[in-house]
Amino acid sequence: MATTVPLFSQFTCKTLITSSSTSSFQSKSPILLPINPISRRLAVHRHDFKVRASDVNDEWGPDSKGPGGDVDDEWGPEIGLNSSVAEKVAEEAIESAEETERLKRVLAGSLYGTDRGLSASSETRAEISELITQLESKNPNPAPNEALFLLNGKWILVYTSFVGLFPLLSRRISPLVKVDEISQTIDSDSFTVHNSVRFAGPLATTSLSTNAKFEVRSPKRVQVKFEQGVIGTPQLTDSIEIPEFVEVLGQKIDLNPIRGLLTSVQDTASSVARTISSQPPLKFSLPGDSAQSWLLTTYLDKDLRISRGDGGSVFVLIREGSSLLNP
């Protein structure tokens, strides 16, 4: 033991006494255990016992029960924290989706009676513009051209700020003929766009449409090139619908005096309409230089699409069959 004492003289030592103080030199000698605040993780082994002194947490961490324990296991205490964070994120996502649905309903209600924007007051336009901006900030598909399948289908135009459409929408041009529907049908597999304006008159309905191709230029932008115009074959209506009056240049004209006359020629007109409706639609080419445009899709989901075009004009379209069409 003479060599042992200098080796451990730098440590504070405690003496462990064996069971018999009268044992011979060959018997078990006292064991000197170093106690050092820097290195207390020292285990001294003998063939008949094991001493382990440590104030450091073992490999399972503080408060751990080890494998199969009922406290935090080797995955660490972060599991509970991550779980609560995930729940909070899920709750915020649900709240955001509910707010988006609310805004969509409010927007659809604001559009009612505006005749696609033609008869909207300045106050109503400001309200609609604010709702559109809020929805754009909540766009669930910020890169819509990476989800082209959502663009597929027929979309009904319900509002626009594009003044180029206003003369077409105005009923003062043709009192007995009105724009019944403006729609856009997209096929992302063939990269085609079909725009259609359907007119309704006393005897028949007809349409004016264009066929176009589009190219993806960015995650939001598409370039549209119109190739062909089509004047649809008139479709005969069941009967002549004659309004009681029409408004021309701000004056109401009573049609009751001539309602009988118009009714008497219904059979003749119907015969003419049947002859016309048997003819194929009239197609014509569009000049390539001027028949191009571009669109940015700023909001897109399964029901609603908002796009912005040349000059900052905005277009709001609702998918055919959506409940948003009946606010």
Side-chain angles (χ1 to χ4, degrees), residues 164-216:
L165 277 179
F166 290 169
L168 180 66
L169 295 173
S170 177
R171 298 179 182 180
R172 289 175 296 184
I173 297 176
S174 301
L176 297 179
V177 178
K178 66 177 182 178
V179 176
D180 188 42
E181 180 184 271
I182 299 178
S183 65
Q184 184 177 75
T185 304
I186 299 177
D187 185 345
S188 64
D189 293 330
S190 59
F191 293 91
T192 57
V193 179
H194 179 78
N195 295 325
S196 177
V197 181
R198 188 174 69 198
F199 300 94
L203 294 176
T205 61
T206 188
S207 64
L208 174 64
S209 60
T210 58
N211 296 323
K213 289 278 190 178
F214 72 89
E215 297 179 0
V216 174

Side-chain angles (χ1 to χ4, degrees), residues 251-298:
Q251 294 184 347
K252 291 183 178 180
I253 300 178
D254 187 7
L255 296 181
N256 285 315
I258 62 172
R259 286 173 67 88
L261 176 63
L262 292 175
T263 302
S264 65
V265 300
Q266 179 176 358
D267 292 339
T268 304
S270 297
S271 177
V272 173
R274 290 190 184 93
T275 302
I276 296 175
S277 62
S278 64
Q279 302 299 313
L282 176 63
K283 300 180 179 181
F284 55 94
S285 299
L286 297 172
D289 295 336
S290 59
Q292 294 193 38
S293 184
W294 58 267
L295 282 176
L296 285 175
T297 301
T298 54

Side-chain angles (χ1 to χ4, degrees), residues 213-234:
K213 289 278 190 178
F214 72 89
E215 297 179 0
V216 174
R217 294 294 177 88
S218 77
K220 290 184 177 182
R221 177 181 172 182
V222 295
Q223 190 75 17
V224 181
K225 182 178 181 180
F226 299 96
E227 298 180 334
Q228 187 181 64
V230 180
I231 299 176
T233 301

